[in-house]
Amino acid sequence: MIDISVEKVVLLLIIAVLVLGPTKLPEYARKLGRLIRELRRMASGAQEKIRQELGPEFEDIDWRKMDPRQYDPRRIIREALLEDEPLPEPVVPAPVQPPARPVVRLAAGQKAPFDDEST
């Protein structure tokens, strides 16, 4: 789960003693212990709720397949490209373009047409 070596834990304890001091360290250790117990209780509660909602199907789930560390995009693409089933050709409709209106040039000094009702 968390990959912390013994040396790192000892270093963290030394830093905690120096920063917090020996008087406050037991108080913070108790708080940390309560936090860890609460997190474990919440995790087990969530797991139990999922188990209740899924019912007997929960036991049939292969959790190793859902492990994100198993995700390999190269394998997924390779399997998708090597599938035996041909994919259906997508139907792309031809774009509909309105008919082109002829360009009318205005004479020098002529005002552009304006529609009073459009605004």
Side-chain angles (χ1 to χ4, degrees):
M1 193 159 114
I2 299 177
D3 189 24
I4 298 179
S5 65
V6 177
E7 295 85 17
K8 290 179 184 177
V9 172
V10 170
L11 181 64
L12 287 173
L13 288 174
I14 292 171
I15 291 173
V17 168
L18 293 175
V19 171
L20 299 175
T23 57
K24 291 199 176 208
L25 190 61
E27 176 187 343
Y28 284 105
R30 279 192 296 277
K31 286 182 181 180
L32 179 64
R34 273 184 267 166
L35 175 69
I36 290 173
R37 281 191 296 277
E38 183 67 21
L39 288 174
R40 285 184 181 169
R41 186 190 62 76
M42 289 171 53
S44 64
Q47 185 179 15
E48 185 60 35
K49 186 172 182 171
I50 290 173
R51 183 172 284 144
Q52 287 174 355
E53 290 182 6
L54 290 179
E57 298 169 1
F58 181 78
E59 301 301 328
D60 297 336
I61 296 175
D62 185 13
W63 293 104
R64 289 176 297 191
K65 286 184 179 178
M66 306 235 182
D67 186 5
R69 292 175 288 187
Q70 301 293 325
Y71 175 73
D72 182 17
R74 293 173 293 201
R75 181 183 53 84
I76 293 171
I77 292 172
R78 189 179 323 111
E79 289 174 0
L81 291 175
L82 296 177
E83 284 182 347
D84 293 333
E85 296 179 22
L87 295 175
E89 291 294 322
V91 178
V92 179
V96 178
Q97 296 180 351
R101 295 175 26 201
V103 177
V104 178
R105 302 254 179 218
L106 299 176
Q110 184 181 4
K111 291 185 178 181
F114 181 73
D115 186 6
D116 292 330
E117 297 175 3
S118 68
T119 56

